[in-house]
PDB file of all heavy atoms in Angstrom:
ATOM      1  N   MET A  16      -2.625  -8.444   2.418  1.00 78.00           N
ATOM      2  CA  MET A  16      -2.936  -9.904   2.376  1.00 78.00           C
ATOM      3  C   MET A  16      -1.711 -10.690   2.757  1.00 78.00           C
ATOM      4  O   MET A  16      -1.829 -11.600   3.654  1.00 78.00           O
ATOM      5  CB  MET A  16      -3.314 -10.311   0.888  1.00 78.00           C
ATOM      6  CG  MET A  16      -3.687 -11.824   0.757  1.00 78.00           C
ATOM      7  SD  MET A  16      -2.309 -12.977   0.526  1.00 78.00           S
ATOM      8  CE  MET A  16      -1.618 -12.439  -1.012  1.00 78.00           C
ATOM      9  N   ILE A  17      -0.458 -10.391   2.392  1.00 79.00           N
ATOM     10  CA  ILE A  17       0.659 -11.082   2.782  1.00 79.00           C
ATOM     11  C   ILE A  17       0.994 -10.917   4.291  1.00 79.00           C
ATOM     12  O   ILE A  17       1.229 -11.876   4.988  1.00 79.00           O
ATOM     13  CB  ILE A  17       1.950 -10.603   1.976  1.00 79.00           C
ATOM     14  CG1 ILE A  17       1.817 -10.969   0.522  1.00 79.00           C
ATOM     15  CG2 ILE A  17       3.171 -11.259   2.428  1.00 79.00           C
ATOM     16  CD1 ILE A  17       2.751 -10.224  -0.388  1.00 79.00           C
ATOM     17  N   ASN A  18       0.797  -9.683   4.767  1.00 75.00           N
ATOM     18  CA  ASN A  18       1.056  -9.409   6.192  1.00 75.00           C
ATOM     19  C   ASN A  18       0.065 -10.260   7.074  1.00 75.00           C
ATOM     20  O   ASN A  18       0.401 -10.857   8.061  1.00 75.00           O
ATOM     21  CB  ASN A  18       0.906  -7.977   6.517  1.00 75.00           C
ATOM     22  CG  ASN A  18       2.186  -7.191   6.050  1.00 75.00           C
ATOM     23  OD1 ASN A  18       3.264  -7.817   5.915  1.00 75.00           O
ATOM     24  ND2 ASN A  18       1.982  -5.981   5.615  1.00 75.00           N
ATOM     25  N   ASN A  19      -1.262 -10.288   6.623  1.00 75.00           N
ATOM     26  CA  ASN A  19      -2.224 -11.080   7.334  1.00 75.00           C
ATOM     27  C   ASN A  19      -1.800 -12.669   7.304  1.00 75.00           C
ATOM     28  O   ASN A  19      -2.061 -13.256   8.406  1.00 75.00           O
ATOM     29  CB  ASN A  19      -3.593 -10.894   6.779  1.00 75.00           C
ATOM     30  CG  ASN A  19      -4.291  -9.714   7.324  1.00 75.00           C
ATOM     31  OD1 ASN A  19      -4.001  -9.236   8.466  1.00 75.00           O
ATOM     32  ND2 ASN A  19      -5.268  -9.179   6.584  1.00 75.00           N
ATOM     33  N   ARG A  20      -1.337 -13.068   6.313  1.00 72.00           N
ATOM     34  CA  ARG A  20      -1.053 -14.522   6.112  1.00 72.00           C
ATOM     35  C   ARG A  20       0.181 -14.901   6.982  1.00 72.00           C
ATOM     36  O   ARG A  20       0.152 -15.909   7.502  1.00 72.00           O
ATOM     37  CB  ARG A  20      -0.732 -14.770   4.649  1.00 72.00           C
ATOM     38  CG  ARG A  20      -0.425 -16.272   4.349  1.00 72.00           C
ATOM     39  CD  ARG A  20      -0.417 -16.554   2.944  1.00 72.00           C
ATOM     40  NE  ARG A  20      -0.268 -17.986   2.745  1.00 72.00           N
ATOM     41  CZ  ARG A  20       0.791 -18.413   2.167  1.00 72.00           C
ATOM     42  NH1 ARG A  20       1.769 -17.728   1.601  1.00 72.00           N
ATOM     43  NH2 ARG A  20       0.989 -19.812   2.003  1.00 72.00           N
ATOM     44  N   VAL A  21       1.197 -14.001   7.011  1.00 67.00           N
ATOM     45  CA  VAL A  21       2.448 -14.335   7.742  1.00 67.00           C
ATOM     46  C   VAL A  21       2.517 -14.012   9.220  1.00 67.00           C
ATOM     47  O   VAL A  21       3.317 -14.576   9.968  1.00 67.00           O
ATOM     48  CB  VAL A  21       3.740 -13.805   7.001  1.00 67.00           C
ATOM     49  CG1 VAL A  21       3.871 -14.295   5.652  1.00 67.00           C
ATOM     50  CG2 VAL A  21       3.703 -12.231   7.108  1.00 67.00           C
ATOM     51  N   GLY A  22       1.609 -13.104   9.657  1.00 63.00           N
ATOM     52  CA  GLY A  22       1.793 -12.698  11.016  1.00 63.00           C
ATOM     53  C   GLY A  22       0.520 -12.286  11.725  1.00 63.00           C
ATOM     54  O   GLY A  22       0.657 -11.906  12.915  1.00 63.00           O
ATOM     55  N   GLY A  23      -0.588 -12.283  11.063  1.00 61.00           N
ATOM     56  CA  GLY A  23      -1.752 -11.792  11.751  1.00 61.00           C
ATOM     57  C   GLY A  23      -2.159 -10.369  11.345  1.00 61.00           C
ATOM     58  O   GLY A  23      -1.421  -9.738  10.642  1.00 61.00           O
ATOM     59  N   GLU A  24      -3.301  -9.976  11.717  1.00 62.00           N
ATOM     60  CA  GLU A  24      -3.904  -8.709  11.260  1.00 62.00           C
ATOM     61  C   GLU A  24      -3.060  -7.499  11.388  1.00 62.00           C
ATOM     62  O   GLU A  24      -3.036  -6.604  10.577  1.00 62.00           O
ATOM     63  CB  GLU A  24      -5.223  -8.552  12.037  1.00 62.00           C
ATOM     64  CG  GLU A  24      -6.172  -7.556  11.477  1.00 62.00           C
ATOM     65  CD  GLU A  24      -7.405  -7.520  12.112  1.00 62.00           C
ATOM     66  OE1 GLU A  24      -7.993  -8.605  12.354  1.00 62.00           O
ATOM     67  OE2 GLU A  24      -8.020  -6.449  12.233  1.00 62.00           O
ATOM     68  N   ASN A  25      -2.363  -7.292  12.472  1.00 63.00           N
ATOM     69  CA  ASN A  25      -1.612  -6.042  12.712  1.00 63.00           C
ATOM     70  C   ASN A  25      -0.029  -6.185  12.423  1.00 63.00           C
ATOM     71  O   ASN A  25       0.583  -5.197  12.764  1.00 63.00           O
ATOM     72  CB  ASN A  25      -1.859  -5.624  14.206  1.00 63.00           C
ATOM     73  CG  ASN A  25      -3.289  -5.225  14.408  1.00 63.00           C
ATOM     74  OD1 ASN A  25      -3.919  -4.670  13.611  1.00 63.00           O
ATOM     75  ND2 ASN A  25      -3.786  -5.710  15.594  1.00 63.00           N
ATOM     76  N   THR A  26       0.364  -7.142  11.755  1.00 63.00           N
ATOM     77  CA  THR A  26       1.697  -7.402  11.358  1.00 63.00           C
ATOM     78  C   THR A  26       2.072  -6.480  10.205  1.00 63.00           C
ATOM     79  O   THR A  26       1.306  -6.430   9.193  1.00 63.00           O
ATOM     80  CB  THR A  26       1.950  -8.824  11.017  1.00 63.00           C
ATOM     81  OG1 THR A  26       1.700  -9.536  12.240  1.00 63.00           O
ATOM     82  CG2 THR A  26       3.493  -8.982  10.679  1.00 63.00           C
ATOM     83  N   ILE A  27       3.170  -5.764  10.259  1.00 67.00           N
ATOM     84  CA  ILE A  27       3.636  -4.932   9.139  1.00 67.00           C
ATOM     85  C   ILE A  27       5.060  -5.401   8.807  1.00 67.00           C
ATOM     86  O   ILE A  27       5.943  -4.564   9.008  1.00 67.00           O
ATOM     87  CB  ILE A  27       3.521  -3.506   9.449  1.00 67.00           C
ATOM     88  CG1 ILE A  27       2.094  -3.094   9.850  1.00 67.00           C
ATOM     89  CG2 ILE A  27       3.931  -2.610   8.156  1.00 67.00           C
ATOM     90  CD1 ILE A  27       1.872  -1.647  10.175  1.00 67.00           C
ATOM     91  N   LYS A  28       5.162  -6.587   8.268  1.00 75.00           N
ATOM     92  CA  LYS A  28       6.478  -7.116   7.869  1.00 75.00           C
ATOM     93  C   LYS A  28       6.785  -6.688   6.494  1.00 75.00           C
ATOM     94  O   LYS A  28       7.874  -6.328   6.101  1.00 75.00           O
ATOM     95  CB  LYS A  28       6.448  -8.690   8.073  1.00 75.00           C
ATOM     96  CG  LYS A  28       7.792  -9.312   7.704  1.00 75.00           C
ATOM     97  CD  LYS A  28       7.827 -10.763   7.924  1.00 75.00           C
ATOM     98  CE  LYS A  28       9.178 -11.326   7.686  1.00 75.00           C
ATOM     99  NZ  LYS A  28       9.185 -12.716   7.859  1.00 75.00           N
ATOM    100  N   TYR A  29       5.772  -6.664   5.628  1.00 71.00           N
ATOM    101  CA  TYR A  29       5.964  -6.309   4.261  1.00 71.00           C
ATOM    102  C   TYR A  29       5.195  -4.963   3.965  1.00 71.00           C
ATOM    103  O   TYR A  29       3.969  -4.842   4.135  1.00 71.00           O
ATOM    104  CB  TYR A  29       5.369  -7.352   3.274  1.00 71.00           C
ATOM    105  CG  TYR A  29       6.063  -8.683   3.409  1.00 71.00           C
ATOM    106  CD1 TYR A  29       5.475  -9.713   4.327  1.00 71.00           C
ATOM    107  CD2 TYR A  29       7.217  -8.946   2.773  1.00 71.00           C
ATOM    108  CE1 TYR A  29       6.254 -10.920   4.483  1.00 71.00           C
ATOM    109  CE2 TYR A  29       7.901 -10.154   2.924  1.00 71.00           C
ATOM    110  CZ  TYR A  29       7.328 -11.165   3.754  1.00 71.00           C
ATOM    111  OH  TYR A  29       8.040 -12.279   3.955  1.00 71.00           O
ATOM    112  N   PRO A  30       6.087  -3.903   3.652  1.00 75.00           N
ATOM    113  CA  PRO A  30       5.443  -2.584   3.425  1.00 75.00           C
ATOM    114  C   PRO A  30       4.669  -2.394   2.196  1.00 75.00           C
ATOM    115  O   PRO A  30       4.647  -3.288   1.249  1.00 75.00           O
ATOM    116  CB  PRO A  30       6.702  -1.774   3.471  1.00 75.00           C
ATOM    117  CG  PRO A  30       7.765  -2.592   2.927  1.00 75.00           C
ATOM    118  CD  PRO A  30       7.417  -3.961   3.308  1.00 75.00           C
ATOM    119  N   PHE A  31       4.030  -1.345   2.173  1.00 78.00           N
ATOM    120  CA  PHE A  31       3.176  -0.899   0.999  1.00 78.00           C
ATOM    121  C   PHE A  31       4.173  -0.941  -0.286  1.00 78.00           C
ATOM    122  O   PHE A  31       5.268  -0.417  -0.172  1.00 78.00           O
ATOM    123  CB  PHE A  31       2.776   0.550   1.407  1.00 78.00           C
ATOM    124  CG  PHE A  31       1.919   1.187   0.352  1.00 78.00           C
ATOM    125  CD1 PHE A  31       0.525   0.790   0.234  1.00 78.00           C
ATOM    126  CD2 PHE A  31       2.276   2.346  -0.435  1.00 78.00           C
ATOM    127  CE1 PHE A  31      -0.318   1.367  -0.646  1.00 78.00           C
ATOM    128  CE2 PHE A  31       1.458   2.916  -1.313  1.00 78.00           C
ATOM    129  CZ  PHE A  31       0.223   2.513  -1.450  1.00 78.00           C
ATOM    130  N   HIS A  32       3.654  -1.518  -1.352  1.00 85.00           N
ATOM    131  CA  HIS A  32       4.612  -1.716  -2.498  1.00 85.00           C
ATOM    132  C   HIS A  32       4.211  -0.565  -3.532  1.00 85.00           C
ATOM    133  O   HIS A  32       3.078  -0.540  -3.922  1.00 85.00           O
ATOM    134  CB  HIS A  32       4.380  -3.086  -3.129  1.00 85.00           C
ATOM    135  CG  HIS A  32       5.383  -3.427  -4.212  1.00 85.00           C
ATOM    136  ND1 HIS A  32       6.589  -3.778  -4.061  1.00 85.00           N
ATOM    137  CD2 HIS A  32       5.168  -3.274  -5.572  1.00 85.00           C
ATOM    138  CE1 HIS A  32       7.233  -3.889  -5.263  1.00 85.00           C
ATOM    139  NE2 HIS A  32       6.269  -3.585  -6.197  1.00 85.00           N
ATOM    140  N   MET A  33       5.254   0.113  -3.922  1.00 91.00           N
ATOM    141  CA  MET A  33       5.073   1.091  -5.074  1.00 91.00           C
ATOM    142  C   MET A  33       6.270   1.172  -5.872  1.00 91.00           C
ATOM    143  O   MET A  33       7.334   0.723  -5.540  1.00 91.00           O
ATOM    144  CB  MET A  33       4.681   2.471  -4.355  1.00 91.00           C
ATOM    145  CG  MET A  33       5.826   3.044  -3.538  1.00 91.00           C
ATOM    146  SD  MET A  33       5.425   4.682  -2.963  1.00 91.00           S
ATOM    147  CE  MET A  33       4.758   4.344  -1.364  1.00 91.00           C
ATOM    148  N   ASP A  34       5.962   1.747  -7.122  1.00 96.00           N
ATOM    149  CA  ASP A  34       7.181   1.962  -8.013  1.00 96.00           C
ATOM    150  C   ASP A  34       6.825   3.124  -8.963  1.00 96.00           C
ATOM    151  O   ASP A  34       5.560   3.543  -9.018  1.00 96.00           O
ATOM    152  CB  ASP A  34       7.495   0.685  -8.744  1.00 96.00           C
ATOM    153  CG  ASP A  34       8.865   0.554  -9.361  1.00 96.00           C
ATOM    154  OD1 ASP A  34       9.536   1.647  -9.410  1.00 96.00           O
ATOM    155  OD2 ASP A  34       9.263  -0.542  -9.799  1.00 96.00           O
ATOM    156  N   LYS A  35       7.779   3.572  -9.765  1.00 97.00           N
ATOM    157  CA  LYS A  35       7.568   4.681 -10.645  1.00 97.00           C
ATOM    158  C   LYS A  35       7.026   4.164 -11.989  1.00 97.00           C
ATOM    159  O   LYS A  35       7.180   3.052 -12.424  1.00 97.00           O
ATOM    160  CB  LYS A  35       8.909   5.405 -10.845  1.00 97.00           C
ATOM    161  CG  LYS A  35       9.981   4.534 -11.502  1.00 97.00           C
ATOM    162  CD  LYS A  35      11.396   5.343 -11.413  1.00 97.00           C
ATOM    163  CE  LYS A  35      12.354   4.477 -12.002  1.00 97.00           C
ATOM    164  NZ  LYS A  35      13.775   5.057 -11.950  1.00 97.00           N
ATOM    165  N   ILE A  36       6.518   5.232 -12.760  1.00 98.00           N
ATOM    166  CA  ILE A  36       6.012   5.005 -14.138  1.00 98.00           C
ATOM    167  C   ILE A  36       6.773   6.131 -14.925  1.00 98.00           C
ATOM    168  O   ILE A  36       6.779   7.308 -14.594  1.00 98.00           O
ATOM    169  CB  ILE A  36       4.507   5.224 -14.233  1.00 98.00           C
ATOM    170  CG1 ILE A  36       3.805   4.083 -13.496  1.00 98.00           C
ATOM    171  CG2 ILE A  36       4.139   5.247 -15.753  1.00 98.00           C
ATOM    172  CD1 ILE A  36       2.261   4.280 -13.388  1.00 98.00           C
ATOM    173  N   ILE A  37       7.481   5.710 -15.957  1.00 98.00           N
ATOM    174  CA  ILE A  37       8.143   6.655 -16.868  1.00 98.00           C
ATOM    175  C   ILE A  37       7.537   6.612 -18.284  1.00 98.00           C
ATOM    176  O   ILE A  37       7.437   5.478 -18.852  1.00 98.00           O
ATOM    177  CB  ILE A  37       9.626   6.371 -16.923  1.00 98.00           C
ATOM    178  CG1 ILE A  37      10.243   6.367 -15.569  1.00 98.00           C
ATOM    179  CG2 ILE A  37      10.417   7.260 -17.879  1.00 98.00           C
ATOM    180  CD1 ILE A  37      11.690   5.788 -15.472  1.00 98.00           C
ATOM    181  N   ILE A  38       7.103   7.782 -18.764  1.00 98.00           N
ATOM    182  CA  ILE A  38       6.649   7.894 -20.211  1.00 98.00           C
ATOM    183  C   ILE A  38       7.608   8.828 -20.832  1.00 98.00           C
ATOM    184  O   ILE A  38       7.649  10.040 -20.348  1.00 98.00           O
ATOM    185  CB  ILE A  38       5.191   8.457 -20.101  1.00 98.00           C
ATOM    186  CG1 ILE A  38       4.326   7.551 -19.356  1.00 98.00           C
ATOM    187  CG2 ILE A  38       4.646   8.614 -21.585  1.00 98.00           C
ATOM    188  CD1 ILE A  38       2.964   8.007 -19.070  1.00 98.00           C
ATOM    189  N   LYS A  39       8.220   8.386 -21.801  1.00 98.00           N
ATOM    190  CA  LYS A  39       9.242   9.181 -22.521  1.00 98.00           C
ATOM    191  C   LYS A  39       8.582  10.013 -23.583  1.00 98.00           C
ATOM    192  O   LYS A  39       7.403  10.196 -23.610  1.00 98.00           O
ATOM    193  CB  LYS A  39      10.333   8.259 -23.146  1.00 98.00           C
ATOM    194  CG  LYS A  39      11.047   7.525 -21.973  1.00 98.00           C
ATOM    195  CD  LYS A  39      12.407   7.176 -22.240  1.00 98.00           C
ATOM    196  CE  LYS A  39      13.117   6.624 -21.115  1.00 98.00           C
ATOM    197  NZ  LYS A  39      14.319   5.846 -21.393  1.00 98.00           N
ATOM    198  N   ASP A  40       9.341  10.765 -24.390  1.00 98.00           N
ATOM    199  CA  ASP A  40       8.834  11.771 -25.392  1.00 98.00           C
ATOM    200  C   ASP A  40       8.030  11.164 -26.477  1.00 98.00           C
ATOM    201  O   ASP A  40       8.226  10.059 -26.950  1.00 98.00           O
ATOM    202  CB  ASP A  40      10.067  12.551 -25.999  1.00 98.00           C
ATOM    203  CG  ASP A  40      10.746  13.352 -25.012  1.00 98.00           C
ATOM    204  OD1 ASP A  40      10.336  13.624 -23.864  1.00 98.00           O
ATOM    205  OD2 ASP A  40      11.991  13.689 -25.248  1.00 98.00           O
ATOM    206  N   ASN A  41       6.969  12.028 -26.989  1.00 98.00           N
ATOM    207  CA  ASN A  41       6.389  11.744 -28.233  1.00 98.00           C
ATOM    208  C   ASN A  41       5.552  10.426 -28.109  1.00 98.00           C
ATOM    209  O   ASN A  41       5.733   9.499 -28.972  1.00 98.00           O
ATOM    210  CB  ASN A  41       7.239  11.763 -29.414  1.00 98.00           C
ATOM    211  CG  ASN A  41       6.527  11.996 -30.678  1.00 98.00           C
ATOM    212  OD1 ASN A  41       5.571  12.848 -30.666  1.00 98.00           O
ATOM    213  ND2 ASN A  41       6.895  11.320 -31.773  1.00 98.00           N
ATOM    214  N   VAL A  42       4.707  10.253 -27.128  1.00 98.00           N
ATOM    215  CA  VAL A  42       3.905   9.068 -26.895  1.00 98.00           C
ATOM    216  C   VAL A  42       2.476   9.473 -26.868  1.00 98.00           C
ATOM    217  O   VAL A  42       2.007  10.540 -26.389  1.00 98.00           O
ATOM    218  CB  VAL A  42       4.258   8.494 -25.545  1.00 98.00           C
ATOM    219  CG1 VAL A  42       3.335   7.502 -25.077  1.00 98.00           C
ATOM    220  CG2 VAL A  42       5.723   7.962 -25.480  1.00 98.00           C
ATOM    221  N   VAL A  43       1.608   8.519 -27.358  1.00 98.00           N
ATOM    222  CA  VAL A  43       0.198   8.700 -27.393  1.00 98.00           C
ATOM    223  C   VAL A  43      -0.377   7.505 -26.466  1.00 98.00           C
ATOM    224  O   VAL A  43      -0.022   6.359 -26.778  1.00 98.00           O
ATOM    225  CB  VAL A  43      -0.518   8.643 -28.733  1.00 98.00           C
ATOM    226  CG1 VAL A  43      -1.963   8.659 -28.703  1.00 98.00           C
ATOM    227  CG2 VAL A  43       0.044   9.768 -29.652  1.00 98.00           C
ATOM    228  N   ILE A  44      -1.173   7.855 -25.539  1.00 98.00           N
ATOM    229  CA  ILE A  44      -1.874   6.906 -24.633  1.00 98.00           C
ATOM    230  C   ILE A  44      -3.324   7.008 -24.798  1.00 98.00           C
ATOM    231  O   ILE A  44      -3.950   8.068 -24.541  1.00 98.00           O
ATOM    232  CB  ILE A  44      -1.353   7.056 -23.209  1.00 98.00           C
ATOM    233  CG1 ILE A  44       0.088   6.965 -23.029  1.00 98.00           C
ATOM    234  CG2 ILE A  44      -2.119   6.025 -22.298  1.00 98.00           C
ATOM    235  CD1 ILE A  44       0.613   7.311 -21.699  1.00 98.00           C
TER     236      ILE A  44
END
């Protein structure tokens, strides 16, 4: 959405955004 807004359909100024998830010991989800 950001890339389309700032530069058009094929612009790749802002890359795919990802990050890690950390779950420490002795956890219930």
Side-chain angles (χ1 to χ4, degrees):
M16 182 274 300
I17 294 170
N18 287 332
N19 275 334
R20 182 168 184 242
V21 299
E24 191 172 325
N25 295 319
T26 302
I27 303 178
K28 183 175 181 179
Y29 297 95
F31 187 70
H32 184 81
M33 62 177 99
D34 203 345
K35 63 188 177 187
I36 296 171
I37 300 171
I38 302 168
K39 298 209 176 162
D40 296 341
N41 203 36
V42 169
V43 174
I44 301 172

